[in-house]
Amino acid sequence: MHNSDTDLIYSQAHKQVKNFTFDAQVVEVFPDMISRSVPGYNTIIDTIGRLSQQFVQENSNIYDLGCSLGAATLAMRKGITAKGCKIIGVDNSSDMVKRCIMHVDAFKGNTPVTIVEGNIQDINIENASMVVLNFTLQFIEKSERQALLSKIAQGLNPGGLLVLSEKITSDDQTIDKVLVDLHHNFKRDNGYSELEVAQKRSALEKVMLTDSLEVHKQRLSQAGFNHSALWFQCFNFTSLIAIK
């Protein structure tokens, strides 16, 4: 017996596995999907909240780009102690945005939140003290990633923080295979079948295009971040901080 919010999207054989999209079907099971698919996700969300307490400046804007259901937004709202701030969450999935607004409205907080439907490449970043890209950049066209990071860097105030969480690929194929195998075993241990693992991978392969850690660091440097570091890694899932 499964709950209706259990991720069963790929539990039956699909005649043709379509490209993964953040549609209504995914929205319904997204928390379950994330917790069973992304190692360390809760640690990353909790830490985003802690970082907001440390880095958010008074009378500034905070951006959650690719906010999905608002987990990072709510963690920051809970963590922020600075006055006069505003959180702007952005997602291009209308289904995600509708549900995210419901989640945000269910939790009261001192910092106002606006959730916007749109492409993050089109959003103006201004007077920002903290920006979050939590497993978002990997769904943006590779040719557009540098420009987006540069725009974020320009919109951040001095001392402002970017949190960039990404699934990575290792240039060393031997290491990459070890990390991929560890991740697939993590999913199996969380109840996903071989069929589900295989079909999900097929659905993502043309949509989620990953980079190496070195490429991410080069982009951050080129964008104008003076300091960056890997603060979290579990298998091939990572999170970096970059400070202007």
Side-chain angles (χ1 to χ4, degrees):
M1 186 78 181
H2 290 282
N3 295 327
S4 59
D5 57 0
T6 301
D7 175 20
L8 298 171
I9 292 173
Y10 298 102
S11 60
Q12 303 296 319
H14 293 222
K15 283 182 181 175
Q16 184 180 3
V17 179
K18 295 177 184 172
N19 286 349
F20 185 87
T21 56
F22 293 96
D23 57 15
Q25 187 182 25
V26 169
V27 169
E28 285 300 320
V29 300
F30 191 67
D32 181 66
M33 178 185 285
I34 283 286
S35 67
R36 292 165 65 204
S37 303
V38 181
Y41 185 76
N42 289 337
T43 299
I44 293 170
I45 293 297
D46 289 346
T47 304
I48 286 170
R50 292 174 197 273
L51 288 166
S52 72
Q53 199 171 357
Q54 188 176 341
F55 279 90
V56 169
Q57 304 160 9
E58 289 196 355
N59 304 311
S60 67
N61 295 324
I62 300 96
Y63 295 85
D64 183 3
L65 302 178
C67 60
S68 62
L69 296 183
T73 289
L74 289 170
M76 291 189 287
R77 192 187 208 184
K78 189 177 171 186
I80 291 168
T81 53
K83 302 282 190 285
C85 299
K86 181 170 72 173
I87 301 173
I88 299 131
V90 185
D91 205 285
N92 66 359
S93 163
S94 57
D95 294 306
M96 279 288 185
V97 167
K98 285 175 198 163
R99 187 62 62 91
C100 183
I101 290 169
M102 287 169 58
H103 280 202
V104 168
D105 288 348
F107 293 92
K108 298 301 170 208
N110 295 325
T111 305
V113 174
T114 303
I115 304 298
V116 178
E117 183 183 338
N119 291 322
I120 61 173
Q121 301 96 310
D122 302 331
I123 300 296
N124 287 328
I125 309 291
E126 53 191 8
N127 184 30
S129 59
M130 184 166 174
V131 177
V132 171
L133 281 167
N134 202 36
F135 301 107
T136 301
L137 194 67
Q138 59 202 24
F139 291 103
I140 301 294
E141 290 285 342
K142 283 197 176 189
S143 60
E144 298 177 24
R145 293 177 189 180
Q146 186 65 61
L148 176 61
L149 291 174
S150 297
K151 184 173 77 167
I152 290 169
Q154 286 166 12
L156 274 167
N157 298 334
L161 177 77
L162 169 66
V163 179
L164 174 65
S165 307
E166 288 278 291
K167 185 181 181 184
I168 60 165
T169 308
S170 177
D171 291 331
D172 182 326
Q173 291 188 343
T174 302
I175 295 297
D176 196 63
K177 184 180 185 311
V178 172
L179 297 178
V180 168
D181 287 348
L182 282 167
H183 178 227
H184 287 169
N185 284 331
F186 171 85
K187 292 173 85 167
R188 293 181 189 104
D189 289 346
N190 282 324
Y192 283 119
S193 66
E194 294 296 333
L195 178 67
E196 286 173 295
V197 171
Q199 291 194 137
K200 177 78 173 288
R201 189 174 193 182
S202 295
L204 283 168
E205 66 184 359
K206 291 179 185 171
V207 182
M208 189 176 78
L209 303 173
T210 54
D211 291 307
S212 68
L213 190 58
E214 291 72 23
V215 166
H216 285 300
K217 287 197 152 191
Q218 285 166 9
R219 279 208 200 101
L220 291 169
S221 177
Q222 197 176 327
F225 288 98
N226 298 317
H227 313 277
S228 72
L230 177 74
W231 73 267
F232 175 89
Q233 180 167 356
C234 185
F235 313 147
N236 44 2
F237 288 80
T238 64
S239 189
L240 298 97
I241 51 171
I243 303 169
K244 186 174 173 181

